[in-house]
Amino acid sequence: MSGFPVYKRILPMLLLIIMHSLMLTGCWSRIEINDRLLVVAMFIDELEEGKVQITLGYAKPNQIASGAGGESPSSSMPYATVKGEGRNISEAYRNIQTNISREIFWGQVKIIVLSEGFARTGVEPLLDFVIRKSSIPLKTYILVAKGKAEEISMFPTQIEKFPSEIFRELVARKKIVVGSVKHFMIAREYGRGMILAYLSPNPDKSQGNQIRLVGSALFQDNRIVSTMDVHKTRGAMWLRGNIKDAVITFPSPTDSEMISLLVIGAESGISLKLQDGKFVYTLKLNVYSVIDSTDSSLDTSDPDAMRELEKILGNEVESRIRQAFDASREAGSDAFQLGAYVAWNYPAEWKKVKEDWSSVYKERTRLDIKTKAVVRLLGAQKK
């Protein structure tokens, strides 16, 4: 042993001590789940004197599990809200945190709802807050409320446990316009235009549904510049590629009875060319549909009749897209981030127009639409 190097005897002991030390250490900054308040939704309202109010919707810790405490699942809502005011979002959030026993956890936030008043003053303070709170997911959906956002923070739910889940499902299933924190980040680079779903509390409580979709809100430079009704919003969803399915109803070309076609799929692509100083976009759209219902005696076995039906469907879709594009161009809001195509295809030209893209979009863009509509399944004939 005398000839055995000392460091070879000591090294294994040191390694063993280090390994034991690592096993004994814990995460010094960890907060146990029992000490967290799981926020699933945030609602932001503008107050007088430049103040803001945030309402946080959270899962009740003692009501998350169905039947907790021996109660039936419907006897107590598993969802509640807490409010705070401040000169900015951060101060309002800290005022809430000061008065609750648990640490607010942002990692489960699904939606952020902005009041129209707050959105018209600008959403830059929200984006700044979200960027600095790294735990808030970038895929968090953002919606706009007509009136106060607080008014739609609590309403009866029959299927989902949390109201926020209803909004999340509507967006995820492409029933309303898709807009998220990530989309705002992308818009910063390509034209600074954006579109969000526009919701309103339903004043008629007898209908059992206190929330309704009233269209969409158009943004430019992070503030609302215009709104669109539901019909134009559907066109905007076609242009953004957000359509999953849709029902289009129109009079039959033979007897004016109503026919409803269910769109079951769509393929689209946008190309750009610079022509006579204008940015000319071409949207190629393939629409696939089935006959959902009809009161018409239209002979679906007649190829000419079916071609006429497909032509009408194509014209209906084109009309909706055209109205949405024209509305966004009139507002100077590149809500579809079409500026990205200029940046990709004409980078030198993009450098010239980037800072003034809102005006360029309004005055120097054009959209050509080429639609091919196909009716695949005919169903039973009335004959």
Side-chain angles (χ1 to χ4, degrees), residues 229-250:
D229 60 23
V230 175
H231 184 78
K232 293 178 182 176
T233 298
R234 298 296 291 180
M237 293 175 69
W238 278 104
L239 188 51
R240 281 173 61 92
N242 288 156
I243 286 288
K244 185 176 182 181
D245 54 55
V247 174
I248 298 179
T249 302
F250 50 84

Side-chain angles (χ1 to χ4, degrees), residues 24-89:
L24 292 174
T25 58
C27 183
W28 65 270
S29 62
R30 184 181 64 186
I31 300 175
E32 298 292 343
I33 188 68
N34 291 337
D35 296 325
R36 294 183 184 271
L37 188 74
L38 303 180
V39 174
V40 295
M42 179 164 65
F43 305 84
I44 307 177
D45 287 293
E46 182 190 29
L47 302 178
E48 296 179 354
E49 300 178 355
K51 290 187 176 181
V52 296
Q53 172 185 284
I54 65 172
T55 303
L56 301 181
Y58 63 92
K60 288 183 181 178
N62 59 351
Q63 292 291 339
I64 294 178
S66 298
E71 298 178 352
S72 64
S74 60
S75 62
S76 179
M77 291 183 62
Y79 176 87
T81 61
V82 60
K83 296 185 294 185
E85 298 179 7
R87 290 167 294 182
N88 56 32
I89 295 175

Side-chain angles (χ1 to χ4, degrees), residues 130-173:
V130 170
I131 291 173
R132 296 176 189 280
K133 287 284 179 291
S134 59
S135 57
I136 297 180
L138 291 180
K139 64 181 180 180
T140 300
Y141 298 123
I142 304 178
L143 313 171
V144 177
K146 185 177 183 179
K148 291 186 176 181
E150 180 191 1
E151 292 181 4
I152 63 173
S153 64
M154 290 290 292
F155 63 93
T157 58
Q158 301 298 327
I159 299 177
E160 307 293 346
K161 284 189 174 183
F162 311 131
S164 61
E165 283 299 299
I166 295 177
F167 301 126
R168 189 187 67 81
E169 285 296 326
L170 288 173
V171 177
R173 293 171 56 217

Side-chain angles (χ1 to χ4, degrees), residues 308-326:
E308 182 65 22
L309 201 63
E310 291 171 343
K311 180 180 178 181
I312 295 174
L313 172 61
N315 290 338
E316 285 285 331
V317 173
E318 285 186 21
S319 175
R320 298 183 184 194
I321 295 174
R322 175 70 57 197
Q323 291 180 52
F325 176 76
D326 289 346

